Amino acid sequence: LTRQNLQVLWSSMLISFVLIALHLWLTARDRQASAAELAAIQLANNVSAMLAFDDPVEAHRELALLASHRELSAIALYHADGRLFASVRQLSTPAKPFTDATQLRTLSTPQREFVGLEVELIVPILVQDNVEGVLILREKMHKLLRWFLQGVLLMSLLVVGSLALDSVETPTHRRDDVLGGSATYFSYAASYFTDVRLVGVVGQDWP
């Protein structure tokens, strides 16, 4: 029975650990993507005048400034018809022309897509409420993944629950003052995955 309980606790702990880790990773990934999107929107506002006045040199400087502060794999600025205007690390797959009116309307707001360990952002360049171009940015998430894995592997688990001294009797044996309690078994199962800190209330008869 004790072995079965440990197996159930071990399985439950593994599933809980995986689900919690997945939730934390998705949250961290979305936060970095949101930060990258805010930076891309600000950059799109900065380069809109450069696109309108056909100044690719100054636009390149703005792109390079953002690329120096973020871990980007590519950043490029395109006209609405798909022609490249300025880039720092040109995309391996150039943007398709955005000449269709429906496509231009859908680009009135930024678009976000996750591709492996990268997030791709497509931000429209608006000049007098007209889409004159698009900013395409791809940011790597390798550093975030390394930070996340280090945090998951190094974090400890705090367990608060009951501790007890049990008397166990089977048809062939009897044992008194055996360490038990739900927190004990849970901590034992969790110790296979991370460091555990156990807090529990005990009585005066505790050895």
Side-chain angles (χ1 to χ4, degrees):
L1 180 61
T2 302
R3 179 174 296 180
Q4 291 178 350
N5 290 340
L6 289 176
Q7 290 177 347
V8 171
L9 287 172
W10 186 90
S11 301
S12 301
M13 182 61 192
L14 177 61
I15 295 173
S16 300
F17 182 82
V18 171
L19 292 177
I20 292 173
L22 180 61
H23 174 73
L24 292 175
W25 164 249
L26 293 177
T27 301
R29 187 188 68 164
D30 287 341
R31 287 185 177 180
Q32 178 167 337
S34 297
E37 184 174 317
L38 289 175
I41 292 174
Q42 182 62 49
L43 178 61
N45 293 331
N46 294 342
V47 299
S48 60
M50 304 163 196
L51 186 64
F53 290 99
D54 194 22
D55 189 356
V57 176
E58 193 62 32
H60 180 273
R61 291 177 182 173
E62 290 289 335
L63 299 184
L65 181 61
L66 180 63
S68 65
H69 288 85
R70 304 194 69 89
E71 190 181 9
L72 304 181
S73 61
I75 180 170
L77 180 61
Y78 291 86
H79 289 282
D81 59 6
R83 291 180 294 114
L84 180 65
F85 184 74
S87 69
V88 175
R89 300 174 179 87
Q90 188 169 353
L91 302 171
S92 57
T93 304
K96 297 179 180 179
F98 296 101
T99 54
D100 184 73
T102 303
Q103 285 183 302
L104 290 177
R105 282 196 297 270
T106 60
L107 283 173
S108 60
T109 58
Q111 298 180 4
R112 180 193 304 181
E113 181 180 359
F114 293 100
V115 183
L117 287 177
E118 292 187 349
V119 56
E120 180 176 277
L121 299 169
I122 301 178
V123 181
I125 308 296
L126 300 177
V127 178
Q128 295 182 349
D129 295 331
N130 295 319
V131 179
E132 299 294 336
V134 290
L135 174 68
I136 301 181
L137 178 150
R138 289 179 184 166
E139 179 162 297
K140 300 177 182 178
M141 294 191 171
H142 298 83
K143 287 185 178 179
L144 177 65
L145 180 60
R146 289 195 295 270
W147 168 85
F148 174 77
L149 291 177
Q150 289 175 354
V152 169
L153 294 176
L154 294 177
M155 71 178 182
S156 60
L157 180 67
L158 176 62
V159 178
V160 181
S162 61
L163 302 175
L165 295 177
D166 297 334
S167 295
V168 181
E169 184 175 357
T170 68
T172 57
H173 293 85
R174 175 183 174 86
R175 293 289 185 271
D176 295 322
D177 296 334
V178 177
L179 181 61
S182 59
T184 302
Y185 295 116
F186 184 89
S187 301
Y188 184 76
S191 65
Y192 285 96
F193 304 99
T194 187
D195 293 333
V196 179
R197 302 293 182 266
L198 176 59
V199 177
V201 177
V202 298
Q204 296 180 354
D205 59 341
W206 188 263

